[in-house]
């Protein structure tokens, strides 16, 4: 099912070339899909030795794609064998040298086949390679990580038995999506501290290699899995529920957002630790001061409802909008829109049909965690197909040079269409907010007063801890 690289140095070189090509392709696709990708802690990835990279799994094929694209050493992944049944995914799985893993539900002989799969993992790690795993076992749409399976710990310990001279480290990587189903949203990739399995087991009395080698293996697997759970928890955001996630996210935004001259979108990375702290504090307040927390929740929900009614964002509410700064912003944006406009309009026209088809295809996604995967896979198929068909049609109707021009303008115009709609959409949102604030004095004062009450309540709770 998988085209395995040849063994030896030649095979290793060929595998690395394949993974680098997969890395470039994944980076290109994901930088189109996301407006911004922030990577924190990439320097923590060891430059040599075997690595088992583990992460949370909340967005289908985007998760391994982000690991592959933005980690300094691109990993090979275990992937469900059923993914090879999807023709559009086969080339990507082959390019990334993915290793199929089998499930009982889809393959009755899964157990014996998986023995060979794990042997490939041991061999790859024993040669100093990098394997990527998502120990939750499957992608999901939950506000927190689910309980980890034991596969990653078993692979790590068995590799150490078979290749005791090869240093092996585990690397936790957390993925935090701003809005994982939305095109041109943002994502944060957080790399945690690498650690050796025996160091993690040392405090339990299981850190002696002979103990793991000859006894207490089940206990070692259990403890190492718990260590992985803790390591991943440290690089991820884990909310009690989606409703509470919205409440905490809004409280964090109000607490740490400055009062800018014009609306500013803060980076995801700086607020990550603040959000983790707020989650911890929220859980404590829920147990100790439920009434104060309920009052704060009520205010936040009312504030969010007002933002929805007025179609505003929190960063617009706190912006000062001084006239000189607004005029400079308008001038810069209009200049950008003017040079993006010609190709952006061409790209919009040529890309309308594939955009509509991809939107329809994404709605067939059974779960929110695979929505973005459907969009990207459908885009890989339908955009090139429609550009080719449009080029052939124009070439047949107006002549071959028209056809070549249309085929070339498709991808170029598509890129500028993304830029045009992003710049134009932001400009219209800010223009609307500016006009609203200039003409709705009482309403905006009431909105800002409610926001100030929330900020005061959040600060009071923070100071009382």
């Amino acid at each position: 099912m998988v085209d395995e690289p040849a063994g030896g140095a030649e095979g290793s070189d060929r595998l690395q070339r394949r993974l680098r090509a997969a890395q470039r392709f994944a980076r290109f696709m994901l930088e189109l899909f996301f407006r911004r990708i922030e990577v924190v802690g990439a320097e923590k990835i060891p430059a040599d030795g075997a690595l088992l990279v583990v992460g949370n799994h909340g967005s289908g094929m985007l998760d391994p794609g982000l690991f592959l694209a933005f980690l300094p050493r691109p990993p090979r992944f275990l992937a469900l064998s059923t993914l090879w049944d999807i023709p559009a995914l086969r080339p990507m799985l082959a390019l990334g040298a993915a290793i199929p893993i089998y499930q009982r539900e889809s393959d009755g002989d899964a157990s014996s086949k998986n023995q060979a799969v794990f042997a490939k993992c041991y061999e790859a790690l024993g040669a100093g390679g990098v394997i990527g795993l998502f120990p939750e076992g499957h992608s999901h749409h939950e506000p927190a990580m689910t309980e980890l399976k034991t596969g990653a710990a078993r692979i790590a310990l068995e590799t150490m038995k078979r290749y005791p001279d090869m240093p092996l480290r585990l690397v936790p990587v957390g993925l935090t999506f701003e809005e994982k189903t939305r095109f041109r949203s943002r994502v944060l990739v957080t790399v945690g501290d690498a650690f050796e399995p025996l160091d993690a087991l040392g405090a339990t009395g299981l850190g002696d290699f002979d103990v793991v080698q000859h006894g207490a293996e089940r206990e070692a697997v259990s403890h190492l899995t718990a260590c992985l759970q803790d390591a991943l928890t440290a690089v991820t955001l884990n909310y009690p529920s989606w409703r509470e996630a919205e409440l905490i996210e809004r409280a964090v935004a109000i607490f740490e957002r400055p009062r800018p001259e014009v609306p500013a979108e803060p980076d995801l990375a700086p607020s990550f630790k603040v959000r983790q702290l707020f989650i911890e504090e929220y859980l404590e307040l829920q147990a100790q001061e439920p009434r104060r927390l309920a009052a704060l929740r009520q205010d936040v929900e009312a504030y969010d409802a007002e933002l929805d009614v007025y179609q505003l964002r929190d960063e617009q509410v706190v912006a000062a909008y001084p006239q000189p700064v607004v005029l400079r912003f308008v001038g810069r944006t209009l200049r950008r829109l003017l040079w993006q406009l010609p190709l952006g309009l061409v790209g919009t026209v040529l890309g309308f049909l594939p955009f509509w088809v991809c939107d329809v295809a994404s709605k067939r996604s059974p779960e929110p965690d695979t929505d973005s995967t459907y969009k990207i896979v459908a885009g890989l198929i339908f955009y090139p197909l429609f550009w080719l068909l449009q080029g052939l049609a124009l070439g047949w109707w107006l002549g071959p040079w028209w056809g070549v021009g249309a085929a070339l303008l498709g991808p170029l115009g598509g890129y500028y269409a993304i830029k045009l709609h992003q710049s134009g959409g932001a400009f219209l949102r800010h223009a609307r907010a500016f006009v609203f604030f200039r003409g709705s004095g009482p309403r905006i004062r009431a909105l800002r007063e409610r926001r100030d009450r929330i900020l005061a309540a959040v600060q009071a709770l923070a100071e009382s801890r």
Side-chain angles (χ1 to χ4, degrees):
M1 181 174 292
V2 179
D3 181 18
E4 286 292 323
E10 180 184 353
S12 177
D13 290 343
R14 191 187 312 163
L15 172 62
Q16 290 307 310
R17 288 195 298 272
R18 184 191 293 188
L19 288 175
R20 291 299 175 189
Q23 185 178 54
R24 288 190 292 271
F25 176 74
R27 182 171 296 181
F28 171 75
M29 292 302 302
L30 291 169
E31 285 179 343
L32 283 178
F33 185 82
F34 290 104
R35 183 173 78 258
R36 184 167 183 180
I37 300 165
E38 299 176 34
V39 182
V40 175
E43 71 282 355
K44 296 178 180 179
I45 300 285
D48 51 28
L51 298 181
L52 191 57
V53 182
V54 297
N56 56 314
H57 202 10
S59 194
M61 294 290 287
L62 261 65
D63 300 339
L66 286 163
F67 279 25
L68 183 61
F70 296 101
L71 297 185
R73 294 175 64 187
R76 297 177 69 184
F77 284 95
L78 296 183
L80 289 177
S81 61
T82 51
L83 294 177
W84 273 264
D85 297 332
I86 305 172
L89 292 182
R90 287 178 196 164
M92 290 183 279
L93 293 166
L95 185 64
I99 303 171
I101 190 164
Y102 301 88
Q103 290 184 315
R104 293 175 184 173
E105 296 83 354
S106 56
D107 195 311
D109 195 25
S111 180
S112 60
K113 288 184 177 180
N114 283 336
Q115 293 303 314
V117 170
F118 295 138
K120 290 177 184 176
C121 294
Y122 310 145
E123 182 181 358
L125 292 170
V130 186
I131 294 291
L133 288 173
F134 296 98
E136 290 172 282
H138 58 84
S139 180
H140 62 85
H141 185 61
E142 298 295 335
M145 283 196 310
T146 58
E147 186 177 353
L148 302 192
K149 311 290 186 185
T150 60
R154 293 181 185 280
I155 290 173
L157 293 174
E158 184 62 29
T159 300
M160 291 165 53
K161 287 182 185 180
R162 298 190 182 199
Y163 302 93
D165 296 328
M166 172 56 68
L168 170 67
R169 280 158 289 189
L170 304 174
V171 183
V173 180
L175 300 175
T176 305
F177 295 90
E178 182 182 48
E179 291 182 60
K180 63 184 176 182
T181 62
R182 182 164 65 88
F183 181 59
R184 302 300 290 173
S185 61
R186 300 182 298 165
V187 62
L188 171 66
V189 182
T190 306
V191 181
D193 294 322
F195 62 94
E196 295 185 12
L198 291 184
D199 289 343
L201 295 174
T204 67
L206 297 168
D208 186 297
F209 185 75
D210 289 335
V211 173
V212 177
Q213 180 94 358
H214 300 297
E217 184 171 345
R218 180 175 297 179
E219 190 177 355
V221 166
S222 176
H223 280 293
L224 187 55
T225 301
C227 290
L228 283 171
Q229 186 98 36
D230 291 340
L232 277 175
T233 299
V235 292
T236 55
L237 297 177
N238 297 279
Y239 296 100
S241 70
W242 284 119
R243 179 170 175 267
E244 289 163 306
E246 293 175 0
L247 169 69
I248 295 169
E249 289 286 322
R250 177 63 72 207
V252 170
I254 291 173
F255 178 76
E256 67 172 3
R257 181 162 286 152
R259 293 189 176 274
E261 293 182 321
V262 293
E265 186 178 58
D267 292 343
L268 295 173
S271 69
F272 179 79
K273 289 297 182 183
V274 179
R275 292 149 84 188
Q276 282 191 322
L277 180 61
F278 266 62
I279 293 171
E280 294 176 12
E281 293 296 319
Y282 176 87
L283 294 174
E284 290 187 21
L285 286 168
Q286 197 173 40
Q288 298 173 10
E289 300 188 61
R291 289 186 178 179
R292 291 179 70 185
L293 192 60
L296 176 60
R297 180 191 294 118
Q298 188 174 4
D299 270 347
V300 170
E301 289 174 346
Y303 177 66
D304 275 346
E306 286 185 272
L307 292 181
D308 288 340
V309 169
Y310 299 139
Q311 297 180 35
L312 296 173
R313 298 186 177 192
D314 179 64
E315 62 265 28
Q316 294 170 331
V317 174
V318 293
Y321 287 110
Q323 191 171 18
V325 176
V326 169
L327 290 175
R328 287 198 298 270
F329 168 77
V330 170
R332 287 196 307 268
T333 305
L334 288 179
R335 285 196 300 272
R336 189 184 307 124
L337 289 172
L338 282 175
W339 66 259
Q340 291 174 349
L341 188 63
L343 281 174
L345 288 176
V346 171
T348 299
V349 172
L350 293 179
F352 174 76
L353 281 176
F355 177 83
W356 178 78
V357 170
C358 291
D359 186 59
V360 171
S362 70
K363 290 181 170 59
R364 297 178 64 86
S365 168
E367 297 292 341
D369 59 286
T370 56
D371 183 274
S372 296
T373 301
Y374 274 65
K375 287 178 181 175
I376 290 179
V377 173
L380 279 172
I381 298 170
F382 291 110
Y383 273 96
L385 177 62
F386 274 87
W387 289 331
L388 177 62
L389 292 177
Q390 287 165 351
L392 291 173
L394 281 176
W396 175 78
W397 184 29
L398 299 175
W401 288 111
W402 282 91
V404 172
L408 293 176
L409 278 174
L412 183 62
Y415 173 78
Y416 278 98
I418 291 173
K419 294 293 186 181
L420 176 65
H421 289 286
Q422 184 173 312
S423 299
F427 180 75
L428 290 175
R429 284 194 304 272
H430 295 323
R432 184 188 179 282
F434 178 77
V435 171
F436 176 84
F437 293 150
R438 285 294 181 269
S440 305
R443 284 185 291 180
I444 190 57
R445 280 197 298 273
L447 195 60
R448 285 173 171 165
E449 286 172 3
R450 184 183 292 277
R451 187 187 189 279
D452 288 341
R453 287 199 304 273
I454 294 171
L455 176 58
V458 171
Q459 290 173 331
L461 286 171
E463 290 168 2
S464 68
R465 305 308 297 164

